[in-house]
Amino acid sequence: MLDLKHELKLDKTRDEKARMNFVSGLRAHVLNDMASGMRAVWDAEVEPAFRRSRGRRPKDGPEVHAALKPNECFKFYSSLRVTTQDLVWQSVFPALERNRGALKEKAARLSRSSQSRSGKTRGTLALRPGFQVPRSVSALDVHLMAGNYDGEYEEGDLAAGSLYDNGLAVFSFGLMGQNLDDIGQSIAGFIKLKFPKLKPAKILDLGCTIGHNTGSWKDHFPAAEVHGIDVAAPCLRYAHARAQAQDRELHFHQMDAEALDFPDASFDVVFSSMFLHEVPRKGIERILAEAHRVLKPGGLMLHMELPPNSQLSPYDAFYLDWDGAYNNEPFYKPFRDLKPEDICRRAGFAPEKYLQFVIPSVGWYGEKVWREAAERPPSVDSDKTGRLTDGILWYCFGAFK
Amino acid sequence: MSASDPARRPMRRTIRGGRPYFFDDPAIDKILNMVVVLGSEVWTLRERLAALEAIQVRQGSLASGELDAHDFSTEDEARLAGERKEFIDSLFRVLQVQVEEPRTQPVKAKAKPKAKPKGKTARRPTSAAKGRKTRR
Ligand SMILES: C[S@@+](CC[C@H](N)C(=O)[O-])C[C@H]1O[C@@H](n2cnc3c(N)ncnc32)[C@H](O)[C@@H]1O
């Protein structure tokens, strides 16, 4: 199993490690093997039957969903996927529960010192007492994660951050890299290759959770001041301690991305990853407008996300929207039904400044293929875009201001 | 396995909103869940056994036939009984979800019982009719 590489990693028993290994292996089986099996049944049986009865091909994801729903392979795939998703978190709880005291002490030690482990960096953490977490976070257990990002059980709690870090390691079965930062590494590095003239002085990561992809920006742009914001205090406390343990100078703030507390034109890059699909539609529009406001002229807004339905085949649209229907992700499909170019325009970005990329995972494909993609990015319409499966390609969109 | 810290309020492990079910009878989803948890425990045992064997072989301390001939001490028996209970609880955890809600409801909920259809059809609550499978 992929084990965390930093000081905050949990002390696990042999059995706890084995359970996590099992869940990771099961996820890989469901998302690779069973998913491709379901696709084969679709192509061989369900789609032809649809065409015979309707005299045409399915036109969108919901039609594919409706046609597949009664099929046994969909039921087994879905039921096992839900069970496995639940077990991702359940496999972490026993070790986490036992380690909570030790975790808090380690984090306190790391956070108290104004310097990181080696004394080289000085990250910061700014929490706001009395901060109101939006209901879209506080009232939900997104992707079946009990307690969600903001669940707190004691003063100064950071257990939710640990649950996420360890759960993500099980969940991603290696596809997000040894430090769970493949998205950040693939994208920040790609941007540096693609835009060699871009020399950002200040970078902002929205909805950064535990800062696992925030740090990559500091790695690729060491001269920049890198900030991460989120609404969830336990994740931010953990993010700060994690960054200190990893020797990265990062600045975390408790803030709502819909109403940023930064002055106009103060950042060169505003980034987010896997964030917008967890935000209600109205919020997304406000967040993009805020990104526009805090960007300097010529600055870059970039969101790594699930690819939009408008650019995918009906089957792939259905496949990605599965989470929206069954994984406690109420904002997922509404987001994927939006056209990224439209929301960027409505937020004030000029249409000709719109851009999007499909970036091969640097961990999966290696530097060579990834570098080549900076010259010739692959197209969006692929069954690997934004899909956690072998050979994953990350999708992102945005615009220059 | 050492227990969690009794001084701390335990983290909630149940999902608000429950989980979706896919088969015509949600019992099938639940049984599938049990099979998977069982599979997880079987795998866990195999890893543990493999570790144990590797250590013993390295140390040259396991003689042939010794495992089969072994009987547990009274203390070991008692500890195993506790662990077996934990194992069984975890195997049937998926059934707890349905039980936990009425258990934690205040008593007044008893005074006004929800009308529920009796008999064979009672297995699916009415919310299943809304297109989405039952969440419990
Ligand atoms: C899926 S996580 C993002 C993960 C992370 N950025 C990554 O790269 O994997 C979504 C995060 O957004 C945060 N969030 C949700 N609504 C927010 C808002 N309005 N402002 C800031 N953060 C928000 C949540 O607390 C959560 O940590």
Side-chain angles (χ1 to χ4, degrees):
Chain A
M1 196 209 56
L2 201 155
D3 206 359
L4 303 186
K5 301 286 179 288
H6 53 79
E7 240 174 289
L8 296 174
K9 80 178 202 167
L10 301 175
D11 178 25
K12 296 190 270 297
T13 65
R14 181 62 256 153
D15 287 4
E16 284 162 356
K17 289 181 207 164
R19 282 187 198 102
M20 291 168 129
N21 286 343
F22 180 82
V23 177
S24 253
L26 190 61
R27 284 228 354 126
H29 176 76
V30 174
L31 283 114
N32 287 321
D33 306 48
M34 290 187 77
S36 67
M38 182 164 73
R39 175 70 209 230
V41 170
W42 167 255
D43 287 336
E45 295 169 22
V46 185
E47 207 255 7
F50 183 100
R51 266 188 288 150
R52 273 194 306 277
S53 71
R54 310 279 282 273
R56 61 171 177 84
R57 290 173 191 281
K59 62 175 191 302
D60 55 18
E63 281 197 352
V64 175
H65 187 186
L68 255 178
K69 221 172 162 177
N71 198 285
E72 194 166 281
C73 85
F74 171 83
K75 294 179 182 179
F76 270 106
Y77 167 84
S78 300
S79 190
L80 276 173
R81 213 179 136 185
V82 169
T83 286
T84 311
Q85 180 74 25
D86 180 33
L87 289 182
V88 162
W89 313 111
Q90 299 302 336
S91 75
V92 178
F93 275 122
L96 173 55
E97 198 62 80
R98 199 181 51 251
N99 279 267
R100 274 168 68 192
L103 180 69
K104 213 175 154 186
E105 277 164 31
K106 271 191 222 167
R109 191 164 22 78
L110 285 162
S111 310
R112 233 189 340 262
S113 56
S114 60
Q115 298 185 328
S116 73
R117 221 166 82 240
S118 71
K120 277 190 293 205
T121 63
R122 294 166 179 278
T124 60
L125 172 68
L127 297 180
R128 295 181 176 182
F131 180 85
Q132 203 60 43
V133 176
R135 272 191 59 76
S136 52
V137 172
S138 68
L140 193 70
D141 283 338
V142 77
H143 37 60
L144 312 190
M145 182 171 69
N148 213 11
Y149 303 103
D150 62 320
E152 281 185 78
Y153 300 87
E154 59 186 303
E155 190 74 21
D157 200 2
L158 41 70
S162 176
L163 176 64
Y164 188 82
D165 203 4
N166 287 279
L168 195 61
V170 175
F171 172 92
S172 58
F173 49 101
L175 294 177
M176 289 186 179
Q178 290 295 307
N179 278 310
L180 304 173
D181 60 355
D182 190 77
I183 294 174
Q185 294 298 340
S186 301
I187 294 176
F190 180 95
I191 291 302
K192 194 175 164 186
L193 279 178
K194 189 90 192 161
F195 305 108
K197 288 208 198 94
L198 193 74
K199 298 265 188 290
K202 279 180 87 177
I203 299 173
L204 176 61
D205 182 14
L206 305 172
C208 63
T209 317
I210 55 167
H212 49 302
N213 287 313
T214 317
S216 308
W217 290 92
K218 187 69 186 169
D219 296 352
H220 287 278
F221 299 98
E225 198 181 290
V226 179
H227 297 257
I229 67 122
D230 204 286
V231 292
C235 287
L236 289 167
R237 288 187 194 105
Y238 187 88
H240 174 58
R242 191 182 191 268
Q244 297 287 92
Q246 291 189 323
D247 240 329
R248 280 168 166 151
E249 185 168 324
L250 303 172
H251 304 284
F252 294 103
H253 314 256
Q254 187 172 30
M255 232 183 251
D256 190 332
E258 294 183 34
L260 293 171
D261 209 13
F262 296 116
D264 296 359
S266 50
F267 285 93
D268 304 275
V269 174
V270 176
F271 172 74
S272 81
S273 50
M274 292 293 207
F275 170 49
L276 298 176
H277 72 259
E278 290 192 6
V279 176
R281 224 164 164 161
K282 269 193 196 142
I284 296 172
E285 308 263 352
R286 278 198 285 266
I287 288 166
L288 263 56
E290 275 294 83
H292 187 267
R293 179 183 69 77
V294 302
L295 267 183
K296 297 177 192 167
L300 173 66
M301 173 184 79
L302 198 66
H303 302 284
M304 177 272 154
E305 258 305 341
L306 300 152
N309 281 325
S310 58
Q311 297 185 40
L312 290 182
S313 72
Y315 188 90
D316 291 320
F318 143 74
Y319 187 83
L320 285 183
D321 275 337
W322 184 96
D323 288 81
Y326 303 115
N327 205 18
N328 260 6
E329 298 262 16
F331 314 119
Y332 198 99
K333 183 163 165 29
F335 166 72
R336 300 197 50 253
D337 284 336
L338 290 167
K339 289 190 171 161
E341 59 275 29
D342 290 351
I343 51 177
C344 289
R345 182 176 35 76
R346 287 201 290 273
F349 293 91
E352 67 276 14
K353 298 285 179 70
Y354 175 79
L355 43 85
Q356 63 172 32
F357 301 111
V358 172
I359 302 173
S361 149
V362 68
W364 179 268
Y365 290 96
E367 288 250 345
K368 188 168 170 287
V369 174
W370 171 78
R371 270 175 194 282
E372 281 163 11
E375 307 294 323
R376 265 171 294 103
S379 80
V380 177
D381 188 8
S382 147
D383 63 0
K384 301 207 179 309
T385 312
R387 191 200 273 203
L388 208 58
T389 186
D390 292 350
I392 188 161
L393 305 164
W394 307 117
Y395 169 79
C396 56
F397 72 91
F400 279 102
K401 181 172 173 181
Chain B
M1 222 188 292
S2 65
S4 49
D5 185 347
R8 296 197 134 78
R9 184 156 66 94
M11 296 174 76
R12 175 168 56 80
R13 301 188 193 186
T14 48
I15 305 154
R16 281 176 288 181
R19 62 158 282 175
Y21 295 92
F22 298 91
F23 290 95
D24 295 337
D25 186 340
I28 298 177
D29 295 80
K30 292 179 185 178
I31 289 170
L32 188 57
N33 184 301
M34 294 174 202
V35 171
V36 171
V37 173
L38 197 56
S40 161
E41 292 307 315
V42 170
W43 177 254
T44 302
L45 276 179
R46 286 182 62 163
E47 270 198 29
R48 194 174 180 87
L49 214 55
L52 201 64
E53 274 179 20
I55 293 168
Q56 302 254 305
V57 166
R58 197 177 63 216
Q59 297 178 342
S61 59
L62 187 67
S64 119
E66 210 176 333
L67 262 182
D68 284 320
H70 181 76
D71 278 321
F72 290 110
S73 69
T74 322
E75 300 88 76
D76 286 352
E77 281 282 13
R79 184 178 49 81
L80 275 175
E83 290 181 7
R84 196 179 304 123
K85 165 102 178 54
E86 255 181 55
F87 168 59
I88 293 170
D89 286 349
S90 123
L91 181 61
F92 296 114
R93 195 182 57 81
V94 69
L95 301 183
Q96 270 314 101
V97 179
Q98 200 187 354
V99 178
E100 238 161 63
E101 211 176 279
R103 265 198 192 143
T104 53
Q105 290 291 313
V107 196
K108 67 170 180 172
K110 264 193 180 167
K112 258 180 91 185
K114 258 195 197 164
K116 262 199 179 168
K118 287 263 152 63
K120 274 187 226 155
T121 50
R123 66 183 156 85
R124 289 180 70 189
T126 45
S127 64
K130 286 187 192 150
R132 191 162 178 177
K133 290 287 182 193
T134 329
R135 289 180 151 259
R136 264 187 268 172

